[in-house]
Amino acid sequence: MDGIVATFENCLKWIVDNVDGPLWDITVITLLGTGLFFTISTGLVQLRLLPQSMREMWFGRATSGDSLTPFQAFATGLASRVGVGNIGGVATAIALGGPGAVFWMWVTALIGMSSAFAESSLAQVYKIRDPNGMFRGGPAYYISKGLKAPWLAVAFAITLIFTFGFAFNAVQANSIMEATRNAWKWNADYVGIGLVVLTAAIIFGGVKRIGKVSSRVVPTMALFYLIMAVIILGMNIEKVPAVLANIIRSAFDFSAMAGGMFGALFSKAMLMGIKRGLFSNEAGMGSAPNSAATSDAKHPASQGLIQMLGVFVDTIVVCTCTAVIILMSNDYGGEHLRGVSLTQKALEFHVGEFGLHFLAFILLLFCYTSIIGNYAYAESNIRYIRNKPWVVLVFRLVVLFFVYFGAVRDGGIVWAFADTVMASMAMINLVAIVLLAPIVWLVLKDYQQQVKAGKEPIFNIENHPELLKRGVDAEVWRKLD
């Protein structure tokens, strides 16, 4: 087994060394450009309708039906977002890019909220009902139906499967291993085997079970982590203004350039902030739409707003708390300490040894729910390509292999591979949602008109017959009227 794992690791290193740099040069420009495009064209939807997104979140909890409720779909998306990206990703960004990387995480989130609204609204527009009566959808569906490009849809589905089913789950497993080794000296092999067993217990239960588990666990674990963060911030409130000023000041320090084709444009802080920001909040990546489509929301924009809120909570709230905790500690510079270990060291600095154990426990919850949330995304795309029981079974076995691989191998190659496949996936989705922008605008206009009229927004396909020519499933929306 060790020989197979080592050989596989060498293959991943070759891919990363030859693809990652040039691909990310292009991805950064496309990611920020798409976010600005939707920010301007929707009239700052992420700011204007942020209060409305909170109302949608509240009322979404009461929705019922055979598919996931809007709240459960949100929790599944948040399960994948809130996790190692908020804890280990932020720490890595600071260690490699300096405090200024946090500022660029904020920028990525605030601009990307509009992209998140667009992609999740499109996922709702193009969702379908499967033979079991549940909704499915996502970029593969709106690319195939809306753009009439099934070949591109398959390409996206493959990149998502590699990103979430394989690479991101390896990252989550690696973070669990690192945290538990630091706190409790757990053996990596045993951690890997344990995670394989626990993951198998959930993924063989189906997407519905994933949504139910996430909707219970995510709010609880997020609350515990935020309570700890608030306590630490309260203990050091006098330091917070200086930390925030340091973040902003360092963001525009271009003395350390990122390199690559456009190295003169990007500092290390900018590149690391954008990379880790995208890993954490996934805005525009094309992942959250897969869970957004499973909701039985009555209007596409409703779920778009809820998923947009998830980006805000993930980065502006949770990531900022982690960043401030790290930057108030006595050691956060240099590559000798990064990732989960850096965050654990910061907590230990503030609250003693308890912080080391606390974060290890929280990460078990964060990363485990992220693993099952990631699996939910990937399974939807496997079924899009080939919805056969034996194909799904093979896919599940490969997912379990990557969970084990991540737990027993070095974190450097695991993170690097995740960055590479993440950029590939994001590029396809960003191009697709820009081409489908007129549908996003139509959906947003319809939603705002109904809210302004004092009505509960309900999407009636008969009011938009032009969408029938764009591949929208009329029966799905007629049933909601």
Side-chain angles (χ1 to χ4, degrees), residues 459-477:
F459 192 68
N460 187 346
I461 191 65
E462 294 179 358
N463 295 334
H464 306 285
E466 67 273 24
L467 292 183
L468 299 178
K469 300 178 182 179
R470 298 295 299 271
V472 176
D473 187 341
E475 292 304 313
V476 166
W477 290 107

Side-chain angles (χ1 to χ4, degrees), residues 21 51 98 106 112 116 135 220 224 277 325 341 347 361 365 372-373 399 423 431 448 454 466:
W106 294 341
F135 291 122
T220 303
F224 283 153
I325 288 171
S341 296
L347 281 178
F361 174 73
L365 298 178
I372 60 178
V399 168
V431 171
Q448 292 181 131
E466 67 273 24

